Amino acid sequence: MADLRRLTVTERTPTPTEVKRWRQYLADERGEAAVYRDLAKRRTGEERRILLALAEAEGRHEAHWLALLGEHAGQPARASARNRLLGFLARRFGSVFVLALAQRAESRSPYATDADATRSMAADEAIHEEVIRALATSGRNRLSGSFRAAVFGANDGLVSNLSLVVGMAATGVSSQVVLLSGIAGLLAGALSMGAGEFVSVRSQRELLDASLPTQVTLTAAPALDLEHNELVLVYLARGMSREAAEHRAAERMGLYTCDCDPSLSRHADDDVAPVDHETLGTAWGAATSSFCFFASGAIIPILPFLFGLTGAGALLLACVLVGLTLLGTGAVVGLLSGASPLWRGLRQLAIGLGAAAATYLLGLLFGGIVG
């Protein structure tokens, strides 16, 4: 039916509305193809070939709209603002953020409901989304730890210090007391976060260090009793099969002068893959970043007071600044996860201001009781 409709369209003059829509589709296909080619310039190997294949697929879609438009193609239209932004980011950064934006763009393709697009084009767009999702996975995995810490630290500083500031303001104390309370909250929270991260990472590293195998098998093996030794138990405890453990123990004790069965041998000095401590980072590095992220969020609610504003005006401005920042952090999370930036931003905003509102009500209650 769709093919019959396209034949019918090509036999008549398309309407101005159709021409406008098709030209926009054409511009967007060209824009998306350019994005994938720009991303491919920053990749190598299979990932580069995948991105170029996606650009080629967008080229086939471009040819479809050119065929429908015919003499009405005219001068190339401008791609949508979203695709122009994607192109700008791809040319300058080529990061996981661009892939996340591209994934969302593919997921919002109108071809599934447009009778002028073929079924294969709609299917292509759905598959493209999954391809981009897979390409973005490794970048998301690399970001997950540090990004989680950054978002958690900054949001914790924003929400906790805003709650403290509005709670103190609700009790009726002076603006100077509110400012001092906010500064105290910033320092206390940032130091607490930093100390917590230091202890957490240091403890985790110590636990992993205690689990790493030592090289005692190299020094103790020659002195072990041939018939009664526990060297096999070492390799069994490290997860090797009994056959492989017995073969490895015999190698360590010098019973094999050749590598008689390579499938049972392990040539590394330790028979367990080492733990990559770099993925954990250092305790001081984690503490410093956590301190800075918390402080960067916690300073925003007290900025109006630092610049001399007082009263309800300062409090309102603090809420506005924090709200905008929460919208921004939520939008970034949404972009990276391929979800709606607006929805994620509004969710962050609701959570943050909800906590502040609850603290404000408690401050009113406490101020009334004390007063």
Side-chain angles (χ1 to χ4, degrees):
M1 181 65 69
D3 292 334
L4 179 60
R5 171 174 168 74
R6 284 191 298 279
L7 288 173
T8 303
V9 169
T10 57
E11 292 172 356
R12 64 171 173 80
T13 301
T15 67
T17 301
E18 288 174 332
V19 170
K20 181 179 179 181
R21 186 173 76 252
W22 297 346
R23 291 188 68 197
Q24 187 60 62
Y25 287 161
L26 176 62
D28 287 341
E29 293 292 357
R30 287 171 171 168
E32 289 174 8
V35 167
Y36 293 138
R37 284 192 292 268
D38 287 332
L39 286 173
K41 293 176 182 177
R42 297 173 174 269
R43 302 296 195 276
T44 58
E46 193 63 42
E47 192 170 349
R48 174 183 172 84
R49 289 189 286 272
I50 290 171
L51 288 165
L52 290 175
L54 289 176
E56 183 180 348
E58 303 297 356
R60 293 195 299 270
H61 297 176
E62 175 187 341
H64 169 82
W65 298 118
L66 278 173
L68 277 185
L69 283 164
E71 62 182 13
H72 301 283
Q75 294 297 320
R78 295 188 71 189
S80 65
R82 179 186 63 207
N83 281 315
R84 292 201 300 273
L85 174 63
L86 272 175
F88 174 83
L89 294 174
R91 287 189 296 273
R92 285 159 178 78
F93 303 106
S95 67
V96 65
F97 287 92
V98 181
L99 290 173
L101 283 168
Q103 176 187 330
R104 179 157 176 78
E106 296 287 3
S107 70
R108 301 175 68 180
S109 171
Y111 291 169
T113 57
D114 194 316
D116 296 322
T118 66
R119 291 181 60 189
S120 63
M121 290 169 62
D124 282 348
E125 297 298 302
I127 293 300
H128 291 178
E129 180 190 358
E130 291 306 309
V131 173
I132 297 300
R133 188 194 307 274
L135 290 177
T137 296
S138 60
R140 286 183 173 125
N141 288 340
R142 287 192 299 268
L143 277 176
S144 59
S146 58
F147 183 70
R148 179 202 62 80
V151 171
F152 174 73
N155 275 16
D156 194 15
L158 282 166
V159 176
S160 65
N161 225 29
L162 178 64
S163 298
L164 175 62
V165 166
V166 299
M168 290 297 296
T171 63
V173 298
S174 68
S175 295
Q176 185 178 8
V177 173
V178 173
L179 173 60
L180 291 174
S181 299
I183 294 174
L186 184 156
L187 293 174
L191 289 169
S192 176
M193 288 283 289
E197 281 294 322
F198 180 88
V199 172
S200 175
V201 173
R202 176 61 65 85
S203 299
Q204 191 173 3
R205 291 176 69 92
E206 289 171 351
L207 286 173
L208 291 173
D209 285 338
S211 301
L212 286 175
T214 67
Q215 301 306 304
V216 68
T217 54
L218 292 172
T219 56
L224 290 174
D225 186 290
L226 184 62
E227 296 183 4
H228 303 287
N229 71 77
E230 288 76 35
L231 191 55
V232 172
L233 299 181
V234 172
Y235 299 119
L236 288 173
R238 291 181 183 178
M240 298 176 68
S241 68
R242 177 164 290 278
E243 184 180 11
E246 291 175 350
H247 187 279
R248 185 61 168 155
E251 286 181 326
R252 279 285 190 246
M253 297 179 69
L255 299 184
Y256 292 149
T257 57
C258 65
D259 195 1
C260 305
D261 190 350
S263 67
L264 298 175
S265 300
R266 298 192 180 189
H267 299 287
D269 286 339
D270 54 1
D271 295 281
V272 177
V275 177
D276 183 8
H277 280 31
E278 295 302 318
T279 59
L280 294 177
T282 65
W284 280 111
T288 301
S289 62
S290 187
F291 178 95
C292 292
F293 283 129
F294 184 95
S296 66
I299 197 171
I300 292 176
I302 62 174
L303 283 177
F305 298 92
L306 283 173
F307 284 97
L309 295 179
T310 59
L315 197 59
L316 178 61
L317 181 57
C319 291
V320 170
L321 291 175
V322 170
L324 292 174
T325 309
L326 288 171
L327 283 172
T329 57
V332 171
V333 172
L335 288 176
L336 277 178
S337 61
S340 168
L342 178 60
W343 168 245
R344 292 298 174 89
L346 291 175
R347 185 180 69 176
Q348 295 281 86
L349 178 65
I351 293 172
L353 295 188
T359 311
Y360 183 80
L361 293 176
L362 291 173
L364 286 175
L365 178 62
F366 182 77
I369 294 174
V370 173

